[in-house]
Amino acid sequence: MSPHPLAFLPRLIAHRGASADAPENTLAALSLAADRGARMIEMDATVSADGVAVVHHDFELDRCTNGTGPIIQHTYEQLQALDCGAWFDKKYPDAPVKFAGEPLPTLAQAARLILDRSMALNLEIKPSLGWDEPTARVCAETLAQVWPADAPIVVSSMSERALGVFKAHAPQFPRGLITYAIPENWRERMTDLGCVSLHCSHFFATPGTISEVQDAGYKILAYTVNDTAEAKRLFDDGLDAVFTDRIGEMNPLYGAAAP
Ligand code: G3P
Ligand code: MG
């Protein structure tokens, strides 16, 4: 039997980098996650108005940059001028490290950093609503240029349309389906998209759903777990991996390979 495509999966995935201690989805957050022992990063990718794949979670710029309005209305040049760290300094004025001036990374820049630090990647394709096709296509083209086919990765999305388009353009990269609750027809949806993992909210990762998904040959991952007792419950129940903002706190407890 051939190994599972996600046989490399560690138990902890740094959600948007070390996002409790650095501004999410920045190069600083990715580097800090590596410093804290992360073996895998989750980050969100979308596209600029002129079709450059960039790393950002929200549809709008307001929460995590000094810009405003929809990211899809900004060109790459405009996005490059933004500050993605000052908001974090303002929110946590007593934090020892300052992040003002952090740029908004391109997908290519972030992927190269992750490769350089020998981490695995979960790229979440996060299209602005209605932009599923171009977002998935650009992410596929970018990854095909920078990410070696044999380097550890899973590409996920809540957009099944995006996953289908990504599969058509870069079938070499394994795919995961993100849901909140686990839908009744999850098997059919995973099969149609050729997915190898199901990523659900931790509320729905119960002993029953975990074993059902694993018995069908898939990995099951849960987001977002920042409570150490909840992480213990999930690992005791056999969950494959959690997404956490608190990689520094979780790694000493659960970073070692599963028993
Ligand atoms: O990929 C897991 C998780 O990141 C999905 O939710 O909103 O944090 O991107 P969100
Ligand atoms: Mg995400």
Side-chain angles (χ1 to χ4, degrees):
M1 209 170 78
S2 55
H4 192 281
L6 305 190
F8 64 84
L9 194 70
R11 293 202 294 183
L12 298 175
I13 302 170
H15 183 241
R16 311 180 197 173
S19 56
D21 300 311
E24 64 180 61
N25 282 326
T26 62
L27 298 179
L30 307 185
S31 286
L32 187 60
D35 294 345
R36 301 258 159 100
R39 293 164 53 200
M40 185 163 180
I41 295 284
E42 186 267 3
M43 64 186 187
D44 308 285
T46 192
V47 285
S48 64
D50 50 346
V52 177
V54 293
V55 179
H56 192 71
H57 178 272
D58 297 357
F59 295 159
E60 284 97 27
L61 293 165
D62 303 60
R63 182 175 64 89
C64 293
T65 79
N66 62 344
T68 190
I71 191 166
I72 192 64
Q73 289 182 331
H74 291 73
T75 63
Y76 168 61
E77 192 179 350
Q78 290 171 322
L79 295 177
Q80 269 198 312
L82 295 177
D83 181 331
C84 298
W87 71 272
F88 193 90
D89 296 345
K90 193 170 164 197
K91 188 171 178 184
Y92 303 104
D94 298 329
V97 183
K98 301 298 172 205
F99 296 99
E102 269 298 314
L104 195 146
T106 64
L107 171 55
Q109 289 168 337
R112 285 195 194 101
L113 185 153
I114 292 165
L115 284 170
D116 286 348
R117 300 297 301 266
S118 303
M119 295 187 288
L121 171 60
N122 171 209
L123 182 71
E124 178 182 347
I125 304 174
K126 188 80 93 178
S128 293
L129 281 180
W131 280 72
D132 310 62
E133 193 279 330
T135 306
R137 180 173 39 79
V138 170
C139 286
E141 289 166 357
T142 305
L143 275 184
Q145 283 169 10
V146 300
W147 197 268
D150 60 351
I153 189 169
V154 58
V155 175
S156 60
S157 190
M158 296 177 183
S159 163
E160 291 174 52
R161 180 158 167 70
L163 284 173
V165 171
F166 186 88
K167 179 186 176 199
H169 286 275
Q172 68 271 33
F173 298 122
R175 292 166 301 282
L177 176 64
I178 308 177
T179 66
Y180 176 67
I182 300 177
E184 284 187 349
N185 63 348
W186 65 269
R187 287 169 193 267
E188 291 91 315
R189 290 159 76 165
M190 301 266 287
T191 305
D192 288 350
L193 296 162
C195 287
V196 299
S197 55
L198 183 65
H199 309 192
C200 64
S201 163
H202 68 103
F203 295 116
F204 300 93
T206 63
T209 58
I210 291 168
S211 55
E212 190 185 347
V213 172
Q214 291 174 336
D215 288 351
Y218 303 104
K219 300 284 186 186
I220 177 165
L221 293 62
Y223 64 90
T224 303
V225 181
N226 291 328
D227 180 80
T228 56
E230 174 68 349
K232 180 174 185 333
R233 195 272 298 171
L234 290 161
F235 292 135
D236 286 349
D237 290 345
L239 187 82
D240 290 300
V242 300
F243 300 90
T244 182
D245 301 328
R246 302 191 172 281
I247 191 69
E249 187 182 343
M250 292 279 188
N251 201 48
L253 297 172
Y254 306 115

